[in-house]
Amino acid sequence: MAAIEMKNIVKQYGDGFPAVNDVSIDVEDGEFMILVGPSGCGKSTLLRMIVGLEDITSGDMVIGGKRVNDLAPRDRNLAMVFQNYALYPHLTVYENIAFPLRLAGVSNEEVDRKVREASSTLELDEHLDRKPGNLSGGQRQRVAMGRAIVRDAQAFLFDEPLSNLDAKLRGQMRTEIARLQRRLGITTVYVTHDQTEAMTLGDRVAVLKRGVLQQLATPRELYTNPVNLFVAGFIGSPPMNFMPATVEGTQVKLPFGTFAIPQENASKAKGKGLLIAGIRPEHFEDASVMDSSKTQGATFRTKVDVVEWLGNEAYAYSPFEAAPEVQEQLNQLGRDLDSEVMHTQLVIALDSSSRVKEGDEAEIWVDTSQIHLFDPSTGENLTVDRSAAGTLPEDTSTQDVARQQDSIATPGEQEAATEA
Ligand code: ATP
């Protein structure tokens, strides 16, 4: 096991576009690190640079204290688990797990010891004589991990391993990966575009946008203290509500009312003109079912046009008009996030005991201490508590991007990286 340090990593492909732009991430020994972001943000490229399948244009990749930029994939001793698990259908589970050891010429006795040790950890003992085709998706994944374990790899690298699975299996596999990683305590880097996987699996999460690291923090820090509009919109489901806001004194004016906000937040937003406010759906509630202990916050009345009741929770939708001045920023945010950003309706998470129904003029409570205020021109969260927002990347605007070296790992090297 080993720590992985990425220092000012840059990757430029042939056309000069920086797919990864000055990214620095320290993965601690035994840590579960998630690289997350929408399609094209550079997360797979970063993972492939760790494993050695992609050349690094500039910066240092340090694994277990050793700079590996010029090391071939097979010499990095990392185990990559792919979406399709890359198992050999004609080999038994035993031989699939044993494969890298056979390749390395390990004695039969040692192979047997290691395979049995791995299969016991992975609860595969009773399946050792079966072929992959007869196994469930979860069992196949464990075989793929077994193959990684017997190599005593320094780290596990996962590239969207669950994206082919249906939602139910995905949930099960997620729990299984989390459990195994905790049990094995092996350094893990996991790429996904799914914020739920990122939030549930990661010790820490690195959020990337167009090759640039936006924020590196624990799931809780990301959720409570997103540094900008992008992170705020990406993390959380359903997503944060965004709306125009102006601050006067200690009051914020929103489309559905004017509310007192904490002095500290108001002063950070002073003199900034029209802002974008962000409030998570769960920071609203039907005032009539409110727990009396929640005394902070304020209430307002709003027309609810749709209610979705899901059994354990419910969502109310309330239309509003966003000022045209912020609509373009929110449309751009939607393009960045690869999803539409609603700026015409408020999504309110209700307790399942709420009786609010469609057409009601409902009294809604809002936790005014949880109103984030963003600068519309830079996207910066003006109200963020920086001391609780994790490690923030340095400004990359003046970054001098070095030229690309044009050698990419050969297919043979790719195979070696996964099987040797
Ligand atoms: P996805 O989730 O769609 O796989 P990603 O976040 O993993 O996306 P990358 O595959 O790392 O993103 O790609 C990052 C950027 O680099 C994209 O703009 C992509 O078009 C570009 N890119 C990736 N591979 C190459 C390549 N071989 N040649 C040129 N550009 C590439």
Side-chain angles (χ1 to χ4, degrees):
M1 277 178 288
I4 300 174
E5 293 166 71
M6 298 168 236
K7 296 182 185 169
N8 306 103
I9 298 287
V10 173
K11 174 68 186 181
Q12 280 184 318
Y13 284 108
D15 57 4
F17 179 78
V20 172
N21 194 353
D22 195 26
V23 168
S24 297
I25 299 173
D26 279 354
V27 188
E28 290 166 19
D29 194 356
E31 188 176 24
F32 200 141
M33 175 67 72
I34 306 280
L35 306 180
V36 71
S39 183
C41 72
K43 55 197 184 296
S44 300
T45 299
L46 202 49
L47 194 77
R48 290 167 62 78
M49 287 192 284
I50 299 173
V51 82
L53 295 176
E54 211 70 80
D55 271 351
I56 297 166
T57 307
S58 69
D60 296 312
M61 186 67 73
V62 179
I63 301 178
K66 184 174 172 188
R67 187 176 184 272
V68 299
N69 288 46
D70 304 317
L71 275 191
R74 70 179 82 82
D75 299 325
R76 296 190 188 191
N77 194 22
L78 303 170
M80 188 128 172
V81 180
F82 290 100
Q83 224 175 64
N84 54 13
Y85 315 134
L87 300 180
Y88 295 101
H90 58 288
L91 296 182
T92 60
V93 166
Y94 184 104
E95 287 303 330
N96 262 291
I97 297 177
F99 195 82
L101 302 176
R102 301 266 189 234
L103 257 181
V106 172
S107 72
N108 281 345
E109 202 178 303
E110 180 69 357
V111 168
D112 196 58
R113 191 183 67 74
K114 289 202 139 177
V115 171
R116 294 198 183 274
E117 199 178 282
S119 86
S120 142
T121 310
L122 297 163
E123 294 169 13
L124 285 169
D125 287 345
E126 62 199 272
H127 305 293
L128 285 175
D129 296 329
R130 304 176 75 192
K131 301 267 174 68
N134 300 324
L135 301 178
S136 72
Q139 290 162 342
R140 277 182 228 172
Q141 170 150 312
R142 277 184 271 154
V143 178
M145 288 176 79
R147 201 163 57 183
I149 291 170
V150 293
R151 293 175 41 197
D152 295 326
Q154 301 205 78
F156 279 175
L157 306 174
F158 289 87
D159 194 359
E160 304 245 14
L162 309 183
S163 57
N164 281 347
L165 307 177
D166 66 53
K168 187 160 169 240
L169 192 54
R170 203 158 56 224
Q172 287 170 6
M173 290 293 90
R174 205 169 61 211
T175 323
E176 188 138 349
I177 290 178
R179 195 174 287 134
L180 268 173
Q181 201 274 345
R182 304 281 182 263
R183 198 187 306 158
L184 299 169
I186 191 160
T187 312
T188 301
V189 182
Y190 185 109
V191 159
T192 181
H193 64 275
D194 181 325
Q195 68 91 30
T196 310
E197 277 176 33
M199 294 295 275
T200 52
L201 285 172
D203 290 322
R204 284 189 302 159
V205 179
V207 184
L208 294 154
K209 172 188 158 192
R210 292 202 214 112
V212 177
L213 179 63
Q214 305 291 303
Q215 190 167 4
L216 173 60
T218 64
R220 190 174 290 273
E221 286 166 343
L222 283 182
Y223 177 85
T224 47
N225 275 303
V227 287
N228 58 28
L229 266 179
F230 180 82
V231 177
F234 192 78
I235 298 293
S237 175
M240 190 181 270
N241 292 290
F242 294 112
M243 64 208 78
T246 43
V247 173
E248 269 174 41
T250 57
Q251 306 264 309
V252 63
K253 184 165 179 277
L254 302 176
F256 47 87
T258 299
F259 307 100
I261 53 170
Q263 169 82 51
E264 193 192 349
N265 288 352
S267 46
K268 286 176 185 166
K270 204 173 150 197
K272 295 271 183 184
L274 186 64
L275 302 171
I276 294 175
I279 313 176
R280 297 202 182 276
E282 52 275 28
H283 292 138
F284 294 99
E285 186 52 272
D286 172 359
S288 70
V289 302
M290 279 290 296
D291 182 339
S292 58
S293 65
K294 285 188 179 171
T295 46
Q296 61 183 1
T299 60
F300 60 97
R301 298 193 75 80
T302 190
K303 176 101 172 165
V304 169
D305 69 343
V306 175
V307 175
E308 290 172 350
W309 187 78
L310 305 168
N312 60 338
E313 56 192 351
Y315 295 101
Y317 296 83
S318 176
F320 70 84
E321 271 302 311
E325 296 94 307
V326 296
Q327 279 177 16
E328 182 40 39
Q329 278 92 340
L330 293 171
N331 288 335
Q332 178 58 43
L333 177 64
R335 289 191 287 275
D336 288 344
L337 292 169
D338 247 358
S339 70
E340 197 176 348
V341 172
M342 281 297 176
H343 47 73
T344 52
Q345 64 176 6
L346 199 60
V347 183
I348 298 166
L350 299 172
D351 189 271
S352 60
S353 65
S354 166
R355 291 285 176 267
V356 166
K357 45 183 200 321
E358 285 168 20
D360 280 358
E361 174 92 9
E363 188 177 21
I364 301 292
W365 169 87
V366 57
D367 184 347
T368 45
S369 70
Q370 299 294 331
I371 300 177
H372 300 268
L373 295 169
F374 301 91
D375 181 325
S377 55
T378 62
E380 182 196 356
N381 186 350
L382 301 168
T383 47
V384 77
D385 175 358
R386 288 192 166 257
S387 65
T391 317
L392 302 179
E394 288 161 15
D395 183 12
T396 55
S397 54
T398 56
Q399 178 65 28
D400 178 24
V401 177
R403 298 309 307 164
Q404 186 224 7
Q405 301 151 8
D406 57 0
S407 59
I408 290 178
T410 62
E413 275 186 316
Q414 296 200 14
E415 240 162 59
T418 58
E419 288 172 3

